[in-house]
Amino acid sequence: MNSRWREGARQPPPPYPKSLSVAVLGTAALLKNDVGNHILRDQRAFLKVSDHLSQSRNQTFHVINAPNFFNKDCKYPDQQIIDFMAISHPGPDLFILVVDPAEATEEKAVAQITKLTYIFGDSLLPYLVVLLQDVDSYHSLHHLMDLFNLTVALKKENLAGDCQRWCCDRSSFLYQYNNYSEEVVKRRKESLENNRYLYSTGGLPATPQLPSPRKDSQNRTLSMRNPSDPVYETISIGTKITQYTMVLLGRCGAGKSASGNTILKAGQCKTTTLFQSEASSVPVTKQCEARFTQFGIPVRVVDTPDLLSNQLPNVEQQIAQCREYCRSEPCTILLVLQLGRLSDNEMGLLDRFETTLGTRIRDRTIILLTHAEVLKGDVREYFLQCAIPISMCNNHPYGAITLFNLV
């Protein structure tokens, strides 16, 4: 039997001999409170609007209102994670990611899911439900089911019954303890229980300041594994790739949008909305757009307008947005050139894009040649015939040239 419950299924929930543990996550404290109250069928269960960790329970459910794990300004994110893991130890039966309608975009939702898989591991996904507040949000994000193999659902009145169905016929989630030791979590759990801090009314108290993290020779944060260390650890950043970005740059008509669609369709996600691509005498793409597909990990494909065009509206805004995409890690820039158009002007195209963006991108740039069907013979010979130095494609760690035959 499939352990996940998808929207539209009608199998009745089984009886449960124990209460179910449900972790509610998200950025909007009011929405998380509302979801917790609906699960417990008690509008007084969560009253205080706070980003602190809190919990409440009845005979059927133990609801844990998680802190905002997506707050980049949080001073002690590792302590928040350890406190959450201590309260929910050995692991919740269900994770619910509550998406604010104001943030119901594919990019933001994928970023939040990616952050959660970084914290708790990929084994989280079958236990994760993305809960949406309205039909428009559901239509925008329901394809995340196929992208991540998780459940996407609309919030309904009988949320308690939905939670029981989503937990149908499976064991509880178990932490993998890749970034934190279980002994640290157990000690923190014992400390919280002894001090009676497990109440929904006030949340957990402010935690002591974290010790200065240890650094390696490249100034990267090291994880603290010594059993004698305090009850909090520092996570090791940058050891696991959870999302890859590909940015398409080029002049109008080079085939950026069509190339992006070829990449999207080659991925495992078959429901991704494609970029608008059509033959036109005027630019079709007028702003930066991101779409997602899956190649083992989520891949963000970014289509861009012609940033060198003097007819582009809001040009400074588009340049700033593209610059942020190009600075993401890890990222590859695809410089899209059309075979048959190569000229002296294209020789300096990479320099012009670097000047426009105000950042160096050549170290991560691949030249992507479109309309490969017009090529006759070897691509290097073609470059020589166009009077473009072979060094333009050889001096690159990736191998430099990729041919696309667009359909």
mmCIF file with all atom_site columns, all heavy atoms in Angstrom, residues 250-264:
data_model
loop_
_atom_site.group_PDB
_atom_site.id
_atom_site.type_symbol
_atom_site.label_atom_id
_atom_site.label_alt_id
_atom_site.label_comp_id
_atom_site.label_asym_id
_atom_site.label_entity_id
_atom_site.label_seq_id
_atom_site.pdbx_PDB_ins_code
_atom_site.Cartn_x
_atom_site.Cartn_y
_atom_site.Cartn_z
_atom_site.occupancy
_atom_site.B_iso_or_equiv
_atom_site.pdbx_formal_charge
_atom_site.auth_seq_id
_atom_site.auth_comp_id
_atom_site.auth_asym_id
_atom_site.auth_atom_id
_atom_site.pdbx_PDB_model_num
ATOM 1  N N   . GLY A 1 250 ? 22.125 35.483 -23.455 1.00 0.00 ? 250 GLY A N   1
ATOM 2  C CA  . GLY A 1 250 ? 22.309 35.597 -24.897 1.00 0.00 ? 250 GLY A CA  1
ATOM 3  C C   . GLY A 1 250 ? 21.501 36.731 -25.468 1.00 0.00 ? 250 GLY A C   1
ATOM 4  O O   . GLY A 1 250 ? 20.691 37.364 -24.775 1.00 0.00 ? 250 GLY A O   1
ATOM 5  N N   . ARG A 1 251 ? 21.719 36.988 -26.763 1.00 0.00 ? 251 ARG A N   1
ATOM 6  C CA  . ARG A 1 251 ? 20.994 38.040 -27.441 1.00 0.00 ? 251 ARG A CA  1
ATOM 7  C C   . ARG A 1 251 ? 19.598 37.575 -27.835 1.00 0.00 ? 251 ARG A C   1
ATOM 8  O O   . ARG A 1 251 ? 19.284 36.374 -27.844 1.00 0.00 ? 251 ARG A O   1
ATOM 9  C CB  . ARG A 1 251 ? 21.756 38.496 -28.691 1.00 0.00 ? 251 ARG A CB  1
ATOM 10 C CG  . ARG A 1 251 ? 23.144 39.086 -28.456 1.00 0.00 ? 251 ARG A CG  1
ATOM 11 C CD  . ARG A 1 251 ? 23.139 40.225 -27.446 1.00 0.00 ? 251 ARG A CD  1
ATOM 12 N NE  . ARG A 1 251 ? 22.193 41.276 -27.696 1.00 0.00 ? 251 ARG A NE  1
ATOM 13 C CZ  . ARG A 1 251 ? 22.457 42.403 -28.365 1.00 0.00 ? 251 ARG A CZ  1
ATOM 14 N NH1 . ARG A 1 251 ? 23.684 42.603 -28.849 1.00 0.00 ? 251 ARG A NH1 1
ATOM 15 N NH2 . ARG A 1 251 ? 21.538 43.323 -28.518 1.00 0.00 ? 251 ARG A NH2 1
ATOM 16 N N   . CYS A 1 252 ? 18.760 38.517 -28.145 1.00 0.00 ? 252 CYS A N   1
ATOM 17 C CA  . CYS A 1 252 ? 17.385 38.219 -28.569 1.00 0.00 ? 252 CYS A CA  1
ATOM 18 C C   . CYS A 1 252 ? 17.404 37.325 -29.807 1.00 0.00 ? 252 CYS A C   1
ATOM 19 O O   . CYS A 1 252 ? 18.136 37.577 -30.765 1.00 0.00 ? 252 CYS A O   1
ATOM 20 C CB  . CYS A 1 252 ? 16.663 39.541 -28.870 1.00 0.00 ? 252 CYS A CB  1
ATOM 21 S SG  . CYS A 1 252 ? 15.018 39.340 -29.548 1.00 0.00 ? 252 CYS A SG  1
ATOM 22 N N   . GLY A 1 253 ? 16.611 36.251 -29.788 1.00 0.00 ? 253 GLY A N   1
ATOM 23 C CA  . GLY A 1 253 ? 16.492 35.357 -30.927 1.00 0.00 ? 253 GLY A CA  1
ATOM 24 C C   . GLY A 1 253 ? 17.523 34.254 -30.990 1.00 0.00 ? 253 GLY A C   1
ATOM 25 O O   . GLY A 1 253 ? 17.503 33.435 -31.926 1.00 0.00 ? 253 GLY A O   1
ATOM 26 N N   . ALA A 1 254 ? 18.423 34.185 -30.002 1.00 0.00 ? 254 ALA A N   1
ATOM 27 C CA  . ALA A 1 254 ? 19.458 33.155 -30.036 1.00 0.00 ? 254 ALA A CA  1
ATOM 28 C C   . ALA A 1 254 ? 18.909 31.774 -29.706 1.00 0.00 ? 254 ALA A C   1
ATOM 29 O O   . ALA A 1 254 ? 19.518 30.759 -30.051 1.00 0.00 ? 254 ALA A O   1
ATOM 30 C CB  . ALA A 1 254 ? 20.588 33.511 -29.074 1.00 0.00 ? 254 ALA A CB  1
ATOM 31 N N   . GLY A 1 255 ? 17.770 31.720 -29.007 1.00 0.00 ? 255 GLY A N   1
ATOM 32 C CA  . GLY A 1 255 ? 17.169 30.434 -28.652 1.00 0.00 ? 255 GLY A CA  1
ATOM 33 C C   . GLY A 1 255 ? 17.281 30.102 -27.184 1.00 0.00 ? 255 GLY A C   1
ATOM 34 O O   . GLY A 1 255 ? 17.293 28.926 -26.803 1.00 0.00 ? 255 GLY A O   1
ATOM 35 N N   . LYS A 1 256 ? 17.339 31.138 -26.323 1.00 0.00 ? 256 LYS A N   1
ATOM 36 C CA  . LYS A 1 256 ? 17.462 30.880 -24.872 1.00 0.00 ? 256 LYS A CA  1
ATOM 37 C C   . LYS A 1 256 ? 16.241 30.151 -24.335 1.00 0.00 ? 256 LYS A C   1
ATOM 38 O O   . LYS A 1 256 ? 16.369 29.155 -23.623 1.00 0.00 ? 256 LYS A O   1
ATOM 39 C CB  . LYS A 1 256 ? 17.647 32.217 -24.120 1.00 0.00 ? 256 LYS A CB  1
ATOM 40 C CG  . LYS A 1 256 ? 18.900 32.978 -24.488 1.00 0.00 ? 256 LYS A CG  1
ATOM 41 C CD  . LYS A 1 256 ? 19.128 34.171 -23.578 1.00 0.00 ? 256 LYS A CD  1
ATOM 42 C CE  . LYS A 1 256 ? 18.002 35.198 -23.621 1.00 0.00 ? 256 LYS A CE  1
ATOM 43 N NZ  . LYS A 1 256 ? 17.856 35.800 -24.966 1.00 0.00 ? 256 LYS A NZ  1
ATOM 44 N N   . SER A 1 257 ? 15.046 30.649 -24.634 1.00 0.00 ? 257 SER A N   1
ATOM 45 C CA  . SER A 1 257 ? 13.818 30.052 -24.089 1.00 0.00 ? 257 SER A CA  1
ATOM 46 C C   . SER A 1 257 ? 13.638 28.621 -24.586 1.00 0.00 ? 257 SER A C   1
ATOM 47 O O   . SER A 1 257 ? 13.293 27.715 -23.817 1.00 0.00 ? 257 SER A O   1
ATOM 48 C CB  . SER A 1 257 ? 12.600 30.904 -24.461 1.00 0.00 ? 257 SER A CB  1
ATOM 49 O OG  . SER A 1 257 ? 12.713 32.213 -23.960 1.00 0.00 ? 257 SER A OG  1
ATOM 50 N N   . ALA A 1 258 ? 13.875 28.403 -25.876 1.00 0.00 ? 258 ALA A N   1
ATOM 51 C CA  . ALA A 1 258 ? 13.735 27.053 -26.434 1.00 0.00 ? 258 ALA A CA  1
ATOM 52 C C   . ALA A 1 258 ? 14.769 26.113 -25.822 1.00 0.00 ? 258 ALA A C   1
ATOM 53 O O   . ALA A 1 258 ? 14.476 24.940 -25.551 1.00 0.00 ? 258 ALA A O   1
ATOM 54 C CB  . ALA A 1 258 ? 13.887 27.104 -27.955 1.00 0.00 ? 258 ALA A CB  1
ATOM 55 N N   . SER A 1 259 ? 15.992 26.604 -25.589 1.00 0.00 ? 259 SER A N   1
ATOM 56 C CA  . SER A 1 259 ? 17.014 25.782 -24.947 1.00 0.00 ? 259 SER A CA  1
ATOM 57 C C   . SER A 1 259 ? 16.607 25.425 -23.523 1.00 0.00 ? 259 SER A C   1
ATOM 58 O O   . SER A 1 259 ? 16.772 24.282 -23.076 1.00 0.00 ? 259 SER A O   1
ATOM 59 C CB  . SER A 1 259 ? 18.358 26.526 -24.926 1.00 0.00 ? 259 SER A CB  1
ATOM 60 O OG  . SER A 1 259 ? 18.812 26.809 -26.228 1.00 0.00 ? 259 SER A OG  1
ATOM 61 N N   . GLY A 1 260 ? 16.064 26.416 -22.811 1.00 0.00 ? 260 GLY A N   1
ATOM 62 C CA  . GLY A 1 260 ? 15.583 26.152 -21.453 1.00 0.00 ? 260 GLY A CA  1
ATOM 63 C C   . GLY A 1 260 ? 14.490 25.106 -21.435 1.00 0.00 ? 260 GLY A C   1
ATOM 64 O O   . GLY A 1 260 ? 14.467 24.224 -20.566 1.00 0.00 ? 260 GLY A O   1
ATOM 65 N N   . ASN A 1 261 ? 13.582 25.168 -22.407 1.00 0.00 ? 261 ASN A N   1
ATOM 66 C CA  . ASN A 1 261 ? 12.501 24.179 -22.473 1.00 0.00 ? 261 ASN A CA  1
ATOM 67 C C   . ASN A 1 261 ? 13.042 22.789 -22.769 1.00 0.00 ? 261 ASN A C   1
ATOM 68 O O   . ASN A 1 261 ? 12.527 21.781 -22.260 1.00 0.00 ? 261 ASN A O   1
ATOM 69 C CB  . ASN A 1 261 ? 11.487 24.588 -23.547 1.00 0.00 ? 261 ASN A CB  1
ATOM 70 C CG  . ASN A 1 261 ? 10.682 25.801 -23.147 1.00 0.00 ? 261 ASN A CG  1
ATOM 71 O OD1 . ASN A 1 261 ? 10.573 26.123 -21.959 1.00 0.00 ? 261 ASN A OD1 1
ATOM 72 N ND2 . ASN A 1 261 ? 10.126 26.506 -24.115 1.00 0.00 ? 261 ASN A ND2 1
ATOM 73 N N   . THR A 1 262 ? 14.087 22.688 -23.602 1.00 0.00 ? 262 THR A N   1
ATOM 74 C CA  . THR A 1 262 ? 14.708 21.395 -23.876 1.00 0.00 ? 262 THR A CA  1
ATOM 75 C C   . THR A 1 262 ? 15.274 20.784 -22.605 1.00 0.00 ? 262 THR A C   1
ATOM 76 O O   . THR A 1 262 ? 15.136 19.577 -22.351 1.00 0.00 ? 262 THR A O   1
ATOM 77 C CB  . THR A 1 262 ? 15.823 21.554 -24.925 1.00 0.00 ? 262 THR A CB  1
ATOM 78 O OG1 . THR A 1 262 ? 15.269 22.094 -26.134 1.00 0.00 ? 262 THR A OG1 1
ATOM 79 C CG2 . THR A 1 262 ? 16.473 20.212 -25.229 1.00 0.00 ? 262 THR A CG2 1
ATOM 80 N N   . ILE A 1 263 ? 15.906 21.624 -21.776 1.00 0.00 ? 263 ILE A N   1
ATOM 81 C CA  . ILE A 1 263 ? 16.465 21.145 -20.504 1.00 0.00 ? 263 ILE A CA  1
ATOM 82 C C   . ILE A 1 263 ? 15.352 20.714 -19.558 1.00 0.00 ? 263 ILE A C   1
ATOM 83 O O   . ILE A 1 263 ? 15.421 19.665 -18.914 1.00 0.00 ? 263 ILE A O   1
ATOM 84 C CB  . ILE A 1 263 ? 17.332 22.240 -19.868 1.00 0.00 ? 263 ILE A CB  1
ATOM 85 C CG1 . ILE A 1 263 ? 18.532 22.551 -20.752 1.00 0.00 ? 263 ILE A CG1 1
ATOM 86 C CG2 . ILE A 1 263 ? 17.797 21.820 -18.473 1.00 0.00 ? 263 ILE A CG2 1
ATOM 87 C CD1 . ILE A 1 263 ? 19.303 23.785 -20.333 1.00 0.00 ? 263 ILE A CD1 1
ATOM 88 N N   . LEU A 1 264 ? 14.292 21.532 -19.462 1.00 0.00 ? 264 LEU A N   1
ATOM 89 C CA  . LEU A 1 264 ? 13.175 21.213 -18.566 1.00 0.00 ? 264 LEU A CA  1
ATOM 90 C C   . LEU A 1 264 ? 12.529 19.885 -18.952 1.00 0.00 ? 264 LEU A C   1
ATOM 91 O O   . LEU A 1 264 ? 12.218 19.061 -18.088 1.00 0.00 ? 264 LEU A O   1
ATOM 92 C CB  . LEU A 1 264 ? 12.143 22.334 -18.591 1.00 0.00 ? 264 LEU A CB  1
ATOM 93 C CG  . LEU A 1 264 ? 12.561 23.670 -17.991 1.00 0.00 ? 264 LEU A CG  1
ATOM 94 C CD1 . LEU A 1 264 ? 11.494 24.731 -18.248 1.00 0.00 ? 264 LEU A CD1 1
ATOM 95 C CD2 . LEU A 1 264 ? 12.810 23.551 -16.484 1.00 0.00 ? 264 LEU A CD2 1
#
